[in-house]
mmCIF file with all atom_site columns, all heavy atoms in Angstrom:
data_model
loop_
_atom_site.group_PDB
_atom_site.id
_atom_site.type_symbol
_atom_site.label_atom_id
_atom_site.label_alt_id
_atom_site.label_comp_id
_atom_site.label_asym_id
_atom_site.label_entity_id
_atom_site.label_seq_id
_atom_site.pdbx_PDB_ins_code
_atom_site.Cartn_x
_atom_site.Cartn_y
_atom_site.Cartn_z
_atom_site.occupancy
_atom_site.B_iso_or_equiv
_atom_site.pdbx_formal_charge
_atom_site.auth_seq_id
_atom_site.auth_comp_id
_atom_site.auth_asym_id
_atom_site.auth_atom_id
_atom_site.pdbx_PDB_model_num
ATOM 1  N N   . ASN A 1 358 ? -40.539 4.008  6.758  1.00 48.00 ? 358 ASN A N   1
ATOM 2  C CA  . ASN A 1 358 ? -40.622 4.497  8.144  1.00 48.00 ? 358 ASN A CA  1
ATOM 3  C C   . ASN A 1 358 ? -39.588 5.519  8.560  1.00 48.00 ? 358 ASN A C   1
ATOM 4  O O   . ASN A 1 358 ? -39.484 5.934  9.710  1.00 48.00 ? 358 ASN A O   1
ATOM 5  C CB  . ASN A 1 358 ? -40.510 3.334  9.133  1.00 48.00 ? 358 ASN A CB  1
ATOM 6  C CG  . ASN A 1 358 ? -39.255 2.494  8.837  1.00 48.00 ? 358 ASN A CG  1
ATOM 7  O OD1 . ASN A 1 358 ? -38.372 2.882  8.110  1.00 48.00 ? 358 ASN A OD1 1
ATOM 8  N ND2 . ASN A 1 358 ? -39.085 1.404  9.581  1.00 48.00 ? 358 ASN A ND2 1
ATOM 9  N N   . ARG A 1 359 ? -38.744 5.890  7.602  1.00 50.00 ? 359 ARG A N   1
ATOM 10 C CA  . ARG A 1 359 ? -37.702 6.938  7.848  1.00 50.00 ? 359 ARG A CA  1
ATOM 11 C C   . ARG A 1 359 ? -38.001 8.224  7.138  1.00 50.00 ? 359 ARG A C   1
ATOM 12 O O   . ARG A 1 359 ? -37.207 9.074  7.042  1.00 50.00 ? 359 ARG A O   1
ATOM 13 C CB  . ARG A 1 359 ? -36.351 6.437  7.412  1.00 50.00 ? 359 ARG A CB  1
ATOM 14 C CG  . ARG A 1 359 ? -35.843 5.238  8.117  1.00 50.00 ? 359 ARG A CG  1
ATOM 15 C CD  . ARG A 1 359 ? -35.683 5.458  9.602  1.00 50.00 ? 359 ARG A CD  1
ATOM 16 N NE  . ARG A 1 359 ? -34.648 6.539  9.887  1.00 50.00 ? 359 ARG A NE  1
ATOM 17 C CZ  . ARG A 1 359 ? -33.345 6.217  10.047 1.00 50.00 ? 359 ARG A CZ  1
ATOM 18 N NH1 . ARG A 1 359 ? -32.940 4.992  9.984  1.00 50.00 ? 359 ARG A NH1 1
ATOM 19 N NH2 . ARG A 1 359 ? -32.482 7.205  10.283 1.00 50.00 ? 359 ARG A NH2 1
ATOM 20 N N   . GLN A 1 360 ? -39.303 8.427  6.690  1.00 50.00 ? 360 GLN A N   1
ATOM 21 C CA  . GLN A 1 360 ? -39.670 9.600  5.949  1.00 50.00 ? 360 GLN A CA  1
ATOM 22 C C   . GLN A 1 360 ? -39.672 10.848 6.851  1.00 50.00 ? 360 GLN A C   1
ATOM 23 O O   . GLN A 1 360 ? -39.542 11.988 6.320  1.00 50.00 ? 360 GLN A O   1
ATOM 24 C CB  . GLN A 1 360 ? -41.025 9.456  5.309  1.00 50.00 ? 360 GLN A CB  1
ATOM 25 C CG  . GLN A 1 360 ? -41.077 8.503  4.146  1.00 50.00 ? 360 GLN A CG  1
ATOM 26 C CD  . GLN A 1 360 ? -42.458 8.378  3.502  1.00 50.00 ? 360 GLN A CD  1
ATOM 27 O OE1 . GLN A 1 360 ? -43.305 9.247  3.776  1.00 50.00 ? 360 GLN A OE1 1
ATOM 28 N NE2 . GLN A 1 360 ? -42.648 7.375  2.675  1.00 50.00 ? 360 GLN A NE2 1
ATOM 29 N N   . ASN A 1 361 ? -39.828 10.610 8.138  1.00 59.00 ? 361 ASN A N   1
ATOM 30 C CA  . ASN A 1 361 ? -39.815 11.778 9.035  1.00 59.00 ? 361 ASN A CA  1
ATOM 31 C C   . ASN A 1 361 ? -38.421 12.332 9.254  1.00 59.00 ? 361 ASN A C   1
ATOM 32 O O   . ASN A 1 361 ? -38.290 13.336 9.977  1.00 59.00 ? 361 ASN A O   1
ATOM 33 C CB  . ASN A 1 361 ? -40.467 11.427 10.318 1.00 59.00 ? 361 ASN A CB  1
ATOM 34 C CG  . ASN A 1 361 ? -39.784 10.208 10.977 1.00 59.00 ? 361 ASN A CG  1
ATOM 35 O OD1 . ASN A 1 361 ? -39.043 9.559  10.387 1.00 59.00 ? 361 ASN A OD1 1
ATOM 36 N ND2 . ASN A 1 361 ? -40.031 10.097 12.311 1.00 59.00 ? 361 ASN A ND2 1
ATOM 37 N N   . THR A 1 362 ? -37.441 11.765 8.710  1.00 63.00 ? 362 THR A N   1
ATOM 38 C CA  . THR A 1 362 ? -36.037 12.311 8.855  1.00 63.00 ? 362 THR A CA  1
ATOM 39 C C   . THR A 1 362 ? -35.529 12.711 7.504  1.00 63.00 ? 362 THR A C   1
ATOM 40 O O   . THR A 1 362 ? -35.632 12.020 6.504  1.00 63.00 ? 362 THR A O   1
ATOM 41 C CB  . THR A 1 362 ? -35.147 11.118 9.390  1.00 63.00 ? 362 THR A CB  1
ATOM 42 O OG1 . THR A 1 362 ? -35.646 10.566 10.557 1.00 63.00 ? 362 THR A OG1 1
ATOM 43 C CG2 . THR A 1 362 ? -33.723 11.608 9.612  1.00 63.00 ? 362 THR A CG2 1
ATOM 44 N N   . SER A 1 363 ? -35.047 13.941 7.463  1.00 73.00 ? 363 SER A N   1
ATOM 45 C CA  . SER A 1 363 ? -34.552 14.528 6.196  1.00 73.00 ? 363 SER A CA  1
ATOM 46 C C   . SER A 1 363 ? -33.253 13.866 5.757  1.00 73.00 ? 363 SER A C   1
ATOM 47 O O   . SER A 1 363 ? -32.539 13.319 6.575  1.00 73.00 ? 363 SER A O   1
ATOM 48 C CB  . SER A 1 363 ? -34.380 16.016 6.399  1.00 73.00 ? 363 SER A CB  1
ATOM 49 O OG  . SER A 1 363 ? -33.310 16.317 7.281  1.00 73.00 ? 363 SER A OG  1
#
Side-chain angles (χ1 to χ4, degrees):
N358 58 4
R359 297 298 296 270
Q360 289 182 15
N361 57 344
T362 305
S363 66

